[in-house]
Amino acid sequence: GIDLYHEQRLPELIERMAEIPGVEWIRLHYAYPTHFPMDLLRVMREHDNVCKYLDIALQHISDHMLKRMQRHITKQETLDLIAKIREEVPGITLRTTLMVGFPGETEEDFDELMDFVKEIKFDRMGAFMFCPEDGTRAAEMPDQIPEEVKQERYDRLMTLQHGVSLAQNKARVGTTCRVLVEKKRGSRYVGRSEYEAPETDGSIFFGSEEPCEIGS
């Protein structure tokens, strides 16, 4: 809403959408950490049909890399934001996307990123290797990272997250959740809860003695 109203209007938009009869799930993707609209957390907390799920693109945590990437946020501001989100919306599922191999990333920067992932324990996390695009500022920057180093860092990061995700999934054993039925595979149904986004996150497999309607 900054372009039209000169102020953030996303919380109001989501709140008005949540009040429309028949709208059962509203899920927020690709939130930007800088100037995050904090009132959105109240809307999430107060409306059951606003998923307790937030996809927020962080890319890195090292101050050195955040500055090189022109993210306009610091490590401490990022940590404070995550703490505030989890405090305001208990039980929220957090997804992020991180980048390895951006020009100038040192082993110390990468170690800091690994420690961050260990500490925060994102429920969902994706990562990708920096790929230079012709004509972009980053492609012309000095200290480009060799492909084999990018790959090695990516593999280490995703191996770490695999362990985090496994622990998070095990913690859900024995819990019950509302599931959107998406398809049937053999004798089992495939669906997802408000904590799994389509295409990017995992699925929930379940059996049912009674037939389940796809889309219900």
Side-chain angles (χ1 to χ4, degrees):
I2 300 294
D3 54 344
L4 295 178
Y5 311 113
H6 310 297
E7 62 181 7
Q8 293 176 328
R9 300 290 285 273
L10 183 61
E12 179 188 350
L13 173 65
I14 298 301
E15 191 153 42
R16 289 171 67 176
M17 287 169 60
E19 292 167 355
I20 298 171
V23 174
E24 299 206 28
W25 277 353
I26 300 169
R27 187 191 312 278
L28 289 138
H29 285 272
Y30 215 77
Y32 200 70
T34 308
H35 307 303
F36 183 84
M38 301 304 289
D39 195 43
L40 193 59
L41 303 178
R42 175 194 61 78
V43 175
M44 275 188 166
R45 193 174 61 245
E46 294 180 357
H47 293 270
D48 290 340
N49 59 349
V50 179
C51 295
K52 307 303 182 280
Y53 179 108
L54 184 64
D55 171 18
I56 185 164
L58 298 177
Q59 295 205 354
H60 218 286
I61 195 59
S62 153
D63 280 327
H64 170 231
M65 294 312 299
L66 291 170
K67 188 173 183 179
R68 287 180 70 88
M69 291 175 169
Q70 296 187 350
R71 297 297 288 172
H72 309 296
I73 194 169
T74 66
K75 175 180 182 176
Q76 191 57 54
E77 287 168 344
T78 301
L79 294 173
D80 291 346
L81 175 60
I82 292 170
K84 186 68 173 174
I85 290 170
R86 285 179 164 168
E87 175 190 345
E88 292 287 325
V89 189
I92 191 170
T93 288
L94 284 180
R95 158 175 274 283
T96 196
T97 307
L98 302 173
M99 182 192 294
V100 299
F102 191 84
E105 183 186 53
T106 65
E107 195 63 34
E108 290 75 21
D109 292 324
F110 180 70
D111 287 344
E112 201 170 336
L113 185 63
M114 291 281 283
D115 289 342
F116 172 63
V117 171
K118 284 180 197 172
E119 176 189 350
I120 297 301
K121 294 181 173 59
F122 289 101
D123 303 278
R124 315 276 185 261
M125 191 204 84
F128 60 98
M129 296 180 285
F130 170 76
C131 181
E133 296 284 344
D134 289 342
T136 63
R137 178 187 65 89
E140 306 300 323
M141 292 175 74
D143 302 319
Q144 297 284 327
I145 307 297
E147 290 301 317
E148 61 271 18
V149 175
K150 293 181 194 175
Q151 186 68 57
E152 188 264 346
R153 289 177 180 174
Y154 172 83
D155 292 342
R156 283 165 59 193
L157 184 64
M158 294 311 295
T159 298
L160 171 62
Q161 179 61 25
H162 177 77
V164 171
S165 295
L166 183 61
Q168 305 285 50
N169 283 341
K170 284 182 175 179
R172 293 176 69 185
V173 172
T175 65
T176 302
C177 58
R178 187 166 178 247
V179 170
L180 171 65
V181 185
E182 294 196 301
K183 57 188 171 184
K184 190 174 185 183
R185 183 179 296 171
S187 62
R188 293 196 298 173
Y189 290 94
V190 184
R192 53 190 171 85
S193 73
E194 67 175 295
Y195 307 114
E196 288 86 37
E199 300 182 7
T200 56
D201 297 332
S203 298
I204 295 174
F205 298 83
F206 60 97
S208 176
E209 292 181 0
E210 299 294 328
C212 293
E213 181 183 348
I214 305 302
S216 65

